[in-house]
Amino acid sequence: MENASGSATAVASRDLGSQRGRSLVPERLQSREHERQLEVERRKQKRQNQEVEEEKSDFFAAAFSRERLAVEELLEGGESVEQLEEAAARLQGLQKLVNDSVLFLAAYDLRQGQEVLARLQEALAKRRQELQPKKRFAFKTRRKDAASATKVDSAPGAPAAEGILASPPPLKEEEGFDSSWICGFSNLQSQVLEKRAEELHQRDVLLTQLINCTIKLYGNPNTLRLTKARGCTLLCGPVSTSVFLENCSDCVLAVACQQLRVHTTKDTRIFLQVTSRAIVEDCTGIQFAPYTWSYPGIDKDFEGSGLDRSKNNWSDVDDFNWLARDVASPNWSILPEEERRIQ
């Protein structure tokens, strides 16, 4: 009897195990089917996103090409100030198109677009210079520019501060800056330099060969270039188009602009408001933080610049010397909050 009872128990246990095994098979199948459906959905969504991005890229390419040709035609045939202003307006629209497309454009396409914009901005500055009356070289303007710089703690024998119109440095033709249209400072050391809104409005500012200077630019320039500067602090109001930084070291900048390009520069802090993306190339030790400089009248200058104050990509930086997307570039970093002091 006991053997019979044991056998019955064993059979019952096997039957129960078989039932449990059979019940688990559909669950595993259902789980696999669910995972398969999720993977199909993920692939479908990825394909749809890719198609949307391709459509956006195609639209960008067509719109950019159309507007670029229109600006080039205006610049080539423009014989009046009105035509140049139309070219400037369309160029600003072209810049906005690039700014609005940075999230889906490939790095190469973004770089090509920004290079085209830089070339067109240089061509616009050249055409403006060609139409500019010669009276811009009046001596009283030179004296006014010379008086706008204030000497502070100058070393013995330091050169007197003077505006760049009074003593322009030699400029390379490809830089795109024409001496009758620019303003700024050059070849100065240990000085405080200032320019006001009426001196800067929609002009190209060039600052070069400065050492241990503090430069304050109140107003709305068209472009800004800082080259060959060491140990300088530059505070600038909103720049309508581009800011270029080249061959600088140990500097502090506060700039607002559509586009920032930094070349061959090291150990520099940049407090930035930018509607496009910042670009660094051949740089080391660059640190970024959001733009915080303010002065009376800056709201009006922002309105005149056309910049969107609600849009700031200060931490979106493209390093053209660092192609690994999954590893942070060692050439730039975010400035810690406790160190974000402009002066």
Side-chain angles (χ1 to χ4, degrees):
M1 290 294 291
E2 290 181 358
N3 291 337
S5 175
S7 299
T9 302
V11 170
S13 297
R14 286 197 298 271
D15 291 343
L16 181 60
S18 299
Q19 291 176 1
R20 287 178 178 174
R22 286 195 297 272
S23 66
L24 289 175
V25 171
E27 291 180 6
R28 287 197 294 268
L29 290 176
Q30 289 177 0
S31 177
R32 289 178 182 176
E33 177 64 18
H34 180 65
E35 291 177 357
R36 188 189 69 82
Q37 290 178 354
L38 288 177
E39 181 61 25
V40 169
E41 187 63 29
R42 280 195 294 268
R43 291 180 180 180
K44 180 180 178 181
Q45 187 63 44
K46 182 178 180 180
R47 186 169 58 252
Q48 290 176 345
N49 292 340
Q50 184 175 356
E51 290 174 354
V52 169
E53 288 193 1
E54 289 175 353
E55 291 176 1
K56 289 181 178 180
S57 297
D58 291 342
F59 171 80
F60 169 83
F64 188 88
S65 177
R66 182 178 62 251
E67 286 302 300
R68 175 179 59 82
L69 290 174
V71 172
E72 289 176 342
E73 290 177 359
L74 286 168
L75 293 177
E76 290 173 1
E79 299 296 335
S80 66
V81 174
E82 288 76 15
Q83 286 178 303
L84 291 188
E85 291 307 313
E86 181 182 353
R90 299 194 76 150
L91 184 55
Q92 195 166 14
L94 198 58
Q95 177 73 68
K96 186 176 186 302
L97 176 64
V98 172
N99 296 345
D100 293 341
S101 306
V102 295
L103 295 179
F104 62 83
L105 282 181
Y108 174 81
D109 294 332
L110 178 61
R111 181 176 184 177
Q112 291 294 103
Q114 291 174 331
E115 289 178 351
V116 169
L117 287 170
R119 178 176 58 79
L120 292 176
Q121 288 163 0
E122 293 170 1
L124 176 62
K126 183 176 181 180
R127 293 295 293 133
R128 278 174 166 168
Q129 185 270 336
E130 292 171 353
L131 293 180
Q132 194 66 26
K134 299 297 182 181
K135 65 181 182 180
R136 192 174 284 275
F137 286 100
F139 284 102
K140 62 180 181 180
T141 302
R142 296 180 182 178
R143 289 194 299 269
K144 181 178 179 180
D145 280 348
S148 65
T150 304
K151 297 172 65 176
V152 178
D153 298 328
S154 298
E162 59 181 344
I164 201 166
L165 287 177
S167 179
L171 298 179
K172 295 181 180 179
E173 186 174 330
E174 65 268 20
E175 285 180 330
F177 286 86
D178 298 280
S179 58
S180 66
W181 189 249
I182 63 175
C183 63
F185 302 99
S186 68
N187 300 297
L188 299 173
Q189 183 173 347
S190 302
Q191 300 190 30
V192 171
L193 310 168
E194 293 185 358
K195 283 194 176 293
R196 295 290 171 176
E198 58 272 15
E199 301 174 85
L200 296 177
H201 183 66
Q202 286 303 299
R203 299 186 68 182
D204 299 320
V205 178
L206 176 58
L207 309 169
T208 183
Q209 296 180 338
L210 303 175
I211 300 175
N212 297 329
C213 290
T214 296
I215 309 103
K216 297 181 180 181
L217 305 177
Y218 303 94
N220 168 218
N222 180 49
T223 62
L224 169 65
R225 184 188 290 265
L226 176 67
T227 68
K228 301 176 182 177
R230 180 163 56 86
C232 291
T233 296
L234 169 60
L235 309 176
C236 184
V239 179
S240 291
T241 56
S242 300
V243 172
F244 302 90
L245 182 62
E246 189 173 23
N247 294 329
C248 298
S249 62
D250 302 299
C251 292
V252 176
L253 286 80
V255 291
C257 56
Q258 285 189 344
Q259 177 188 168
L260 172 71
R261 301 176 69 179
V262 186
H263 296 271
T264 55
T265 292
K266 63 180 182 178
D267 302 329
T268 291
R269 296 182 174 187
I270 302 176
F271 294 81
L272 180 63
Q273 168 100 27
V274 63
T275 54
S276 181
R277 298 170 74 96
I279 295 173
V280 298
E281 189 171 14
D282 299 326
C283 296
T284 58
I286 309 299
Q287 293 182 295
F288 289 93
Y291 182 83
T292 55
W293 192 49
S294 184
Y295 57 86
I298 193 172
D299 292 337
K300 181 180 178 181
D301 290 334
F302 262 106
E303 291 177 4
S305 71
L307 299 179
D308 183 357
R309 297 190 74 173
S310 65
K311 188 174 183 180
N312 189 2
N313 298 319
W314 66 273
S315 60
D316 293 332
V317 181
D318 288 327
D319 183 354
F320 285 169
N321 297 108
W322 190 260
L323 302 180
R325 291 186 174 273
D326 55 340
V327 180
S329 167
N331 300 318
W332 69 272
S333 62
I334 300 299
L335 183 65
E337 291 189 16
E338 63 272 15
E339 299 179 27
R340 295 178 184 178
R341 296 182 297 275
I342 295 178
Q343 291 179 301

